[in-house]
Amino acid sequence: MNVGIDAISYYVPRLYLEMSDLAERRGIPYEKLKFGLGLEQMAVPDANEDAASFAANALIRLFNDQQLDPAKIGRIYLGTESAVDGSKPTATYAMGSLEDHLSAQFGPRSLKHCDVVDMTFACIGAVDAMQNCLDWVRAGQDRQAIVIASDVSKYELNSTGEYTQGAGAVAVLLRSNPRILSIDDSWGVATQSVGDFFKPRRYFDRNELLEDMAAKLNGAMDAESIENLLGDTNSEFWSEKAQIFELFKEEPVFDGQYSNQCYSDRITEAFAHFNQQQPTDFLKDWDHLVFHLPYAYHGRRIVFDNWLSWISSKPSYQDLLVEIGEQGEDKKAWLKAASKSTLYKTFVKEKIAMGEVASSAIGNMYTASIFMSLLSLFQQASLGDHDLSEKTIGLIAYGSGSKSKVFQGRVMEGWKTATEILSLFQDLSTRTRIDVDTYEKLHLRQLTEAVGPADQVTLDKIETEVETRKGLRTYSQFQ
Ligand SMILES: CC(=O)CC(=O)SCCNC(=O)CCNC(=O)[C@H](O)C(C)(C)COP(=O)(O)OP(=O)(O)OC[C@H]1O[C@@H](n2cnc3c(N)ncnc32)[C@H](O)[C@@H]1OP(=O)(O)O
């Protein structure tokens, strides 16, 4: 059975930061960010946005654009690594917003029999969700599933990850005889448990925190005086009896260059595994390559080693040697020259570049990056009048921790009509630019009021009073 992506929608925050502004503030050459990494703008979540509101907006838009009947949607699976709760799935918040939105037309609880769940494996969770849902669609008659990828990519201020940040969501409708992309059932998979990028629970000793503060205030505290001090506190935080406080931070612990190495190793293994199932000439058989993009130029930088091994058995390898000469003693310099060669630049321009454009304007969307890159390819092809019908797209997914999946799809005749309605780049050009001070305040959660308009689903409130609802989120209605 022919199954795959029938419709796409997305949500990108309405605020953005110009990369040149960030580069100037941080003292980083803008040329490095623009020409080295492909970064131009960064989507910034407003004070009232989170992964659940992004997901809700992408999901509602998919329903509105496609006039979907909720009774026909059997699954809503969401991939995220920015879950808003450790137990209640982010997907349930998005589903709740959608049900509110649909209630006038379909009555309450229109998704009562829909199977809803989150999947987490760093940036690859939504691809895992999609593979799972494609199997489910394939196994039945007229089954329809929605996969949402939604994330906030947030790093510490001044870190090497900061300029790669971004945010947003993409939702795809999966069904048989899809209008956009038919996805094959060969999946190259490679997994290894590594610690290249992760978001651990962090632990702090309650007494050490107070002793440290007391020392800073020129006082001294022993365990007994701490107990006396905290005995009658009104603070919910300090009245916590546990000795160890747990803190969760959105910002990951990571080793940038090591994470690149893990990405490179996993995709190489996944290419090999894919090739075992379906012998493939990746240069000839794949018209376009779409990657998980932690930053816009990551795919083109990381796939270079694979390209070199693919091309080495081809007649065009001679063109490379003519241009840059045989490899001499300085292997590093030769590889650098090969990565800047006309042959490689042509490969990037023809097969990768269209998928990078959205990432340059949004930044890393973690789970949603690969789906946004696919949409970028469709939108750029439409704008440039390239016909993608019957073209084969190779998709290369990666999640830190670590896993890669390599799979492929064939573009369907209906791709243009089904994706043109989105006007992604027009939409991105109407966002509100913010300055670095505002961005930093949003990053540090020093702003409680939203900067931009609240015309879509936004976070209204996190309950603080009612004991049995503490921490539960409520969202505004979609306008
Ligand atoms: C996080 C995920 O989403 C999961 C993953 O994919 S893990 C793999 C990616 N890891 C991450 O994204 C982790 C967070 N990010 C980082 O730590 C870092 O941003 C990074 C490791 C990804 C990049 O590190 P970096 O130090 O900023 O950049 P670096 O690797 O040195 O590359 C800079 C590029 O700019 C070029 N450059 C530097 N200065 C330049 C200038 N003035 N003009 C033009 N180009 C310049 C360099 O030559 C280099 O390009 P080439 O290698 O193609 O020549």
Side-chain angles (χ1 to χ4, degrees):
M1 192 195 283
N2 189 10
V3 300
I5 299 175
D6 187 69
I8 307 180
S9 79
Y10 68 90
Y11 176 79
V12 176
R14 302 308 303 156
L15 306 180
Y16 79 96
L17 182 65
E18 278 293 342
M19 205 50 69
S20 50
D21 292 347
L22 183 66
E24 191 185 337
R25 177 67 66 90
R26 298 286 179 260
I28 302 168
Y30 175 55
E31 295 70 27
K32 169 184 166 170
L33 303 187
K34 183 170 164 66
F35 301 114
L37 302 175
L39 309 173
E40 292 177 29
Q41 287 143 3
M42 173 199 289
V44 181
D46 209 333
N48 57 359
E49 294 191 302
D50 60 23
S53 70
F54 301 157
N57 287 317
L59 180 63
I60 292 173
R61 185 167 182 197
L62 189 70
F63 264 76
N64 286 350
D65 287 352
Q66 307 301 325
Q67 294 292 300
L68 298 177
D69 176 353
K72 293 202 172 136
I73 305 300
R75 285 184 170 192
I76 298 176
Y77 276 29
L78 181 140
T80 187
E81 56 168 301
S82 317
V84 295
D85 191 286
S87 175
K88 179 175 162 57
T90 302
T92 58
Y93 280 112
M95 168 211 170
S97 292
L98 175 63
E99 281 188 330
D100 289 347
H101 177 69
L102 296 176
S103 60
Q105 191 182 356
F106 294 97
R109 297 197 57 203
S110 56
L111 290 154
K112 182 161 52 174
H113 299 299
C114 186
D115 182 2
V116 172
V117 76
D118 281 5
M119 282 198 174
T120 296
F121 193 136
C123 301
I124 203 169
V127 167
D128 291 334
M130 183 169 76
Q131 184 183 8
N132 198 301
C133 287
L134 287 171
D135 288 346
W136 176 78
V137 170
R138 210 177 264 116
Q141 288 279 317
D142 294 328
R143 289 182 174 176
Q144 296 185 38
I146 291 173
V147 168
I148 314 172
S150 185
D151 267 307
V152 178
S153 166
K154 187 173 177 187
Y155 291 85
E156 300 286 356
L157 299 178
N158 294 299
S159 71
T160 60
E162 186 187 17
Y163 37 82
T164 71
Q165 294 174 126
V170 178
V172 292
L173 175 68
L174 306 175
R175 56 179 299 173
S176 55
N177 300 320
R179 286 171 298 165
I180 301 178
L181 190 73
S182 163
I183 298 176
D184 288 1
D185 197 22
S186 299
W187 292 77
V189 181
T191 312
Q192 184 181 12
S193 175
V194 296
D196 60 332
F197 166 110
F198 49 100
K199 296 177 186 162
R201 292 178 178 181
R202 302 175 209 217
Y203 301 102
F204 298 90
D205 187 289
R206 169 178 174 263
N207 286 20
E208 280 176 17
L209 291 175
L210 270 176
E211 282 160 18
D212 183 56
M213 274 307 119
K216 284 197 168 46
L217 294 167
N218 293 326
M221 296 198 97
D222 55 21
E224 195 183 339
S225 44
I226 287 175
E227 287 317 315
N228 289 338
L229 178 74
L230 297 183
D232 60 352
T233 178
N234 288 324
S235 153
E236 189 183 343
F237 182 83
W238 288 113
S239 60
E240 177 62 55
K241 290 287 174 253
Q243 185 65 31
I244 301 295
F245 288 163
E246 267 185 50
L247 179 74
F248 174 76
K249 288 183 74 169
E250 287 172 290
E251 294 89 332
V253 176
F254 69 100
D255 177 340
Q257 297 306 339
Y258 177 54
S259 69
N260 282 342
Q261 191 56 52
C262 294
Y263 187 123
S264 170
D265 292 348
R266 287 302 81 70
I267 68 167
T268 303
E269 293 163 1
F271 276 128
H273 188 229
F274 181 86
N275 205 36
Q276 279 169 23
Q277 297 161 59
Q278 187 162 329
T280 304
D281 179 338
F282 294 107
L283 283 177
K284 189 163 142 291
D285 298 346
W286 283 3
D287 301 295
H288 298 278
L289 280 74
V290 165
F291 295 85
H292 159 60
L293 294 179
Y295 57 88
Y297 289 174
H298 187 78
R300 65 166 75 183
R301 290 177 81 207
I302 217 78
V303 82
F304 168 73
D305 292 346
N306 299 92
W307 173 85
L308 200 57
S309 83
W310 297 336
I311 201 107
S312 60
S313 57
K314 300 267 181 201
S316 54
Y317 188 62
Q318 293 311 314
D319 299 341
L320 180 69
L321 298 186
V322 168
E323 186 182 345
I324 66 164
E326 295 275 355
Q327 189 179 312
E329 293 227 320
D330 192 347
K331 188 176 173 197
K332 217 171 148 196
W334 187 85
L335 289 174
K336 193 84 185 166
S339 74
K340 309 286 173 200
S341 66
T342 311
L343 201 61
Y344 191 60
K345 280 188 187 152
T346 306
F347 168 75
V348 168
K349 185 168 175 249
E350 290 177 352
K351 304 208 173 197
I352 300 177
M354 286 195 282
E356 297 172 336
V357 186
S359 179
S360 292
I362 299 170
N364 197 353
M365 298 171 80
Y366 289 160
T367 52
S369 283
I370 187 168
F371 293 95
M372 182 51 84
S373 180
L374 183 65
L375 181 58
S376 176
L377 166 63
F378 289 130
Q379 298 271 283
Q380 285 291 305
S382 277
L383 290 171
D385 227 6
H386 299 286
D387 188 10
L388 294 180
S389 305
E390 295 300 317
K391 299 284 185 213
T392 301
I393 300 180
L395 294 112
I396 299 119
Y398 177 72
S400 287
S402 62
K403 178 165 73 184
S404 172
K405 284 187 173 173
V406 166
F407 54 109
Q408 73 176 23
R410 191 163 41 86
V411 182
M412 302 282 96
E413 291 288 337
W415 72 274
K416 198 167 181 185
T417 330
T419 55
E420 238 170 12
I421 48 162
L422 293 170
S423 311
L424 170 67
F425 294 104
Q426 164 68 21
D427 190 19
L428 292 176
S429 71
T430 62
R431 291 176 296 173
T432 304
R433 179 177 178 172
I434 55 171
D435 58 23
V436 179
D437 288 339
T438 308
Y439 148 70
E440 287 188 343
K441 283 186 189 137
L442 283 166
H443 191 287
L444 295 169
R445 295 185 188 277
Q446 289 167 348
L447 292 184
T448 45
E449 295 295 320
V451 177
D455 54 357
Q456 302 203 39
V457 175
T458 48
L459 176 64
D460 249 356
K461 179 180 168 198
I462 301 178
E463 179 62 45
T464 54
E465 301 295 326
V466 183
E467 196 56 41
T468 53
R469 291 177 62 83
K470 268 187 190 161
L472 200 63
R473 294 174 183 233
T474 41
Y475 291 84
S476 70
Q477 289 261 358
F478 188 88
Q479 303 294 309

